[in-house]
Amino acid sequence: MEARHRHTHDSSLPPFVFPYDLGYKRNLSQVINWSGRSQGNGLEWQVAKGCLEFSLTVEQLEQKKLKRKQAVTCRIKQDYSGSSCPLNFGLLLCLCTPRFEPKIKVQEGDVFSVTRWGRYWVYGDKTLSEALSEKGVVVRGWFPRSCVVAIDTSDDSEEVTSDDPGSEVKSKVVKRRKEQSKQ
């Protein structure tokens, strides 16, 4: 998610200004100039008028919070070994494998909080026991979309809402965004 998208959907937020965009001439002059030395110490840089040094960090934290809020709880309905080319799920799944990102082993019955949906793959965080969570254990990565079933946790009943969660998830995300924009 980009900052401009978050600010476009929520009219109560001011337009996002990238804090380090001073214009191409000023940005270039900070690195390339007649003295041969870059301006600043390499850790602190000039920021645009009206921005703070950590404006970008604050925006990223807000985006993460929104992403967690829009996550959909899903249950695994079919085991997946974590291999890069799972032929038992079809050739297209192998050809459209997420590159350079982790694929994780999932087992039937596992519960995940899914945050990203692709045509063939989903990305999510496994819901772990409190003991493992307290130790800082995190299991997150990509697995085949055909392995998951969206479950409705709005009333704590965990009933299955869709066998193909893609369309269900998209409608839930759109609904949540509309609710957030009204607030």
Side-chain angles (χ1 to χ4, degrees):
M1 171 180 266
E2 293 184 22
R4 61 187 160 93
H5 292 135
R6 189 173 80 84
H7 289 258
T8 303
H9 291 295
D10 190 349
S11 59
S12 66
L13 296 173
F16 180 75
V17 177
F18 188 74
Y20 300 106
D21 184 8
L22 307 173
Y24 80 93
K25 287 181 182 178
R26 280 187 62 198
N27 282 356
L28 198 57
S29 71
Q30 286 188 350
V31 182
I32 302 171
N33 52 49
W34 292 110
S35 70
R37 293 183 164 195
S38 61
Q39 295 176 1
N41 60 10
L43 298 175
E44 298 172 3
W45 298 92
Q46 290 180 5
V47 292
K49 189 175 182 177
C51 294
L52 302 173
E53 187 178 356
F54 296 105
S55 294
L56 190 58
T57 304
V58 170
E59 177 62 31
Q60 289 172 333
L61 291 172
E62 289 299 318
Q63 287 177 18
K64 276 189 173 187
K65 197 185 305 180
L66 181 61
K67 188 171 148 182
R68 283 191 204 105
K69 196 175 189 180
Q70 292 177 344
V72 176
T73 305
C74 293
R75 184 175 311 282
I76 303 298
K77 67 177 184 178
Q78 184 178 0
D79 292 351
Y80 163 63
S81 66
S83 69
S84 292
C85 188
L87 287 172
N88 57 327
F89 288 96
L91 184 61
L92 276 176
L93 194 78
C94 292
L95 296 174
C96 300
T97 301
R99 309 232 189 301
F100 312 114
E101 293 195 54
K103 283 153 286 297
I104 56 172
K105 179 180 180 176
V106 295
Q107 295 179 329
E108 187 176 348
D110 290 346
V111 176
F112 278 80
S113 179
V114 176
T115 55
R116 285 189 263 169
W117 295 82
R119 189 171 190 175
Y120 301 105
W121 295 85
V122 293
Y123 185 89
D125 297 342
K126 184 175 182 179
T127 305
L128 300 169
S129 66
E130 284 186 37
L132 289 174
S133 295
E134 288 174 2
K135 290 181 181 179
V137 175
V138 178
V139 178
R140 109 178 14 128
W142 291 93
F143 46 94
R145 179 175 164 174
S146 59
C147 290
V148 298
V149 175
I151 54 177
D152 185 12
T153 57
S154 59
D155 61 352
D156 298 328
S157 65
E158 287 200 7
E159 80 179 50
V160 174
T161 57
S162 174
D163 198 32
D164 179 21
S167 58
E168 182 76 21
V169 171
K170 287 177 186 172
S171 65
K172 282 184 179 183
V173 169
V174 169
K175 184 179 174 183
R176 286 181 189 168
R177 283 186 181 160
K178 285 180 182 176
E179 289 172 0
Q180 290 170 356
S181 64
K182 289 179 185 176
Q183 294 174 351

